[in-house]
Amino acid sequence: MVLDLEAELDELFRGPVASFVAGRNRVVKELRAAGRKDDAAAVGKLERPAPVAWVLNRLHFDEPELLAELRDAGAALKRAQETRPTADAYTSEREAHRAILRRATERAVELATDNGVNVTADLRRRIAMNLELVSAAEDVRPPPGRMVAELSPLGFDALSLDAPLSPPARPSREEAKAAAERAERLAPVTDALGAAEREARRLAREAELAEASVGRAEKDLEEAEARVEGARRKVGEALETAATARAKAEEAARAVEEARQALAEITAGAPSR
C-alpha cells in the first residue's frame, strides 16, 4: 500500500500538539520502510507547532470557508486602501473585515479551548494578529494547515483596522457623520451575528453530543437485550437439563422400587431352614 503523505501530514497537523512528535516519527519510519528517504528526511525536520500556529492549522481544517472569507475580506480592504475610494466605501470594507476577523478569532479561540488549550489574553491577541496577517498576505509559507511558528509583522503588509495604509481623501463633515452613524448601526448587528453564530455552533456541538449519547444508549440496549436473550437461553437449557435429570431420577426410583419388590418376592418364596 502506497503511503499518502499529504493525508498523513493533514492528520499530523490537525491532531493534538502533544502527539505531534510521536506521529511525525511514525510517518518518518513508514517513509523509510517504503524507501522514500528524501520525504522521510523532510518530515523528520518538522517542528512541533507553536500554540498559535496549531490554532490556525485547526481553523484551516475545521473552518476552511471561514478562513477563505477572512482572506477575501482582507484582499478587499487592501484594495480599498490602495485605490483610495470614497470614505463610505472604505468604511464599509473596513467594518466587513473587522467583523470577519472577530468571528475568525472567536472560532479559533473556541477550537483552542475545546482542545484543552489555556487561552490567555496574550494568546488571544496573538491569534488575532496572526489571522490579520494571514488576511493581509497574498501568500503565507508555510500556509495554515502546515504552520509551525507564529507569523511576524515584519515582511507583511499588515492591515490596520483603524486607518488605511494609503488613506483615502479626507471626507466631508457630512460624510464622516454618515459613516459614523452607519458604523454605529452596524456594530450591534455584527456583534449579534457573531453571538448567534457562536450559539449555533454551541447548539450544534450539544446536538452532536446528544446524538452520540443516543448511539451509546442504543448500543447499551442492544448489548443488554443480547445478555437477556442469552440468560433466557441458559434458563431454558437449565430447565431442560432439570427435566431430564428429574425424569432419570424418577426412572431410577422406579427401578429401585421394582428391585425391592423382586427381592421381597424372592425372600417370601424362599423355603425356611
Side-chain angles (χ1 to χ4, degrees):
M1 180 178 179
V2 179
L3 182 68
D4 186 340
L5 182 54
E6 287 303 311
E8 292 289 341
L9 291 177
D10 284 347
E11 181 180 354
L12 183 64
F13 279 94
R14 187 175 186 174
V17 175
S19 63
F20 184 88
V21 174
R24 178 197 63 194
N25 294 343
R26 174 187 58 79
V27 175
V28 169
K29 183 177 180 180
E30 293 179 2
L31 289 170
R32 287 174 178 167
R36 299 167 62 176
K37 296 182 179 179
D38 291 343
D39 288 338
V43 173
K45 295 178 182 178
L46 293 175
E47 298 179 357
R48 182 168 61 179
V52 172
W54 181 87
V55 172
L56 265 65
N57 288 338
R58 281 302 300 260
L59 195 66
H60 164 81
F61 290 115
D62 288 26
E63 300 288 351
E65 294 181 358
L66 181 60
L67 201 56
E69 189 177 349
L70 174 63
R71 283 170 163 158
D72 289 343
L77 179 57
K78 192 172 184 180
R79 286 194 299 271
Q81 291 174 334
E82 293 172 347
T83 57
R84 304 169 72 97
T86 63
D88 286 351
Y90 173 74
T91 299
S92 176
E93 296 295 351
R94 185 183 63 182
E95 292 302 323
H97 181 263
R98 188 196 302 270
I100 185 60
L101 178 60
R102 183 164 53 244
R103 286 169 51 204
T105 301
E106 291 296 333
R107 182 57 181 142
V109 169
E110 286 181 1
L111 287 171
T113 302
D114 291 346
N115 286 273
V117 177
N118 180 26
V119 181
T120 62
D122 179 64
L123 181 59
R124 182 189 183 94
R125 178 189 61 78
R126 283 152 47 207
I127 290 173
M129 183 191 73
N130 274 256
L131 286 171
E132 185 177 353
L133 292 174
V134 167
S135 74
E138 295 181 358
D139 192 23
V140 176
R141 293 294 169 187
R146 295 290 186 270
M147 291 177 62
V148 295
E150 295 183 37
L151 301 175
S152 170
L154 297 177
F156 287 91
D157 292 330
L159 298 173
S160 171
L161 296 180
D162 299 318
L165 295 178
S166 300
R170 185 179 182 85
S172 66
R173 180 176 300 178
E174 291 75 13
E175 289 176 334
K177 181 179 179 181
E181 291 176 350
R182 186 162 38 254
E184 185 177 356
R185 292 194 303 271
L186 183 61
V189 174
T190 55
D191 289 342
L193 175 60
E197 289 177 339
R198 291 193 296 274
E199 179 65 9
R201 288 193 293 269
R202 184 185 68 80
L203 293 174
R205 288 196 296 274
E206 288 185 358
E208 291 175 357
L209 291 174
E211 290 171 354
S213 178
V214 170
R216 289 193 297 271
E218 290 177 343
K219 183 178 180 181
D220 291 342
L221 177 60
E222 291 176 358
E223 293 176 351
E225 290 175 343
R227 288 194 295 271
V228 170
E229 184 61 28
R232 286 174 178 167
R233 285 196 300 270
K234 290 181 179 180
V235 169
E237 293 171 357
L239 289 174
E240 292 178 1
T241 301
T244 300
R246 187 177 300 110
K248 290 181 177 180
E250 291 174 354
E251 183 180 352
R254 286 194 298 271
V256 169
E257 184 60 28
E258 291 173 356
R260 286 175 177 171
Q261 291 177 1
L263 179 60
E265 291 174 356
I266 293 172
T267 303
S272 59
R273 293 180 181 181

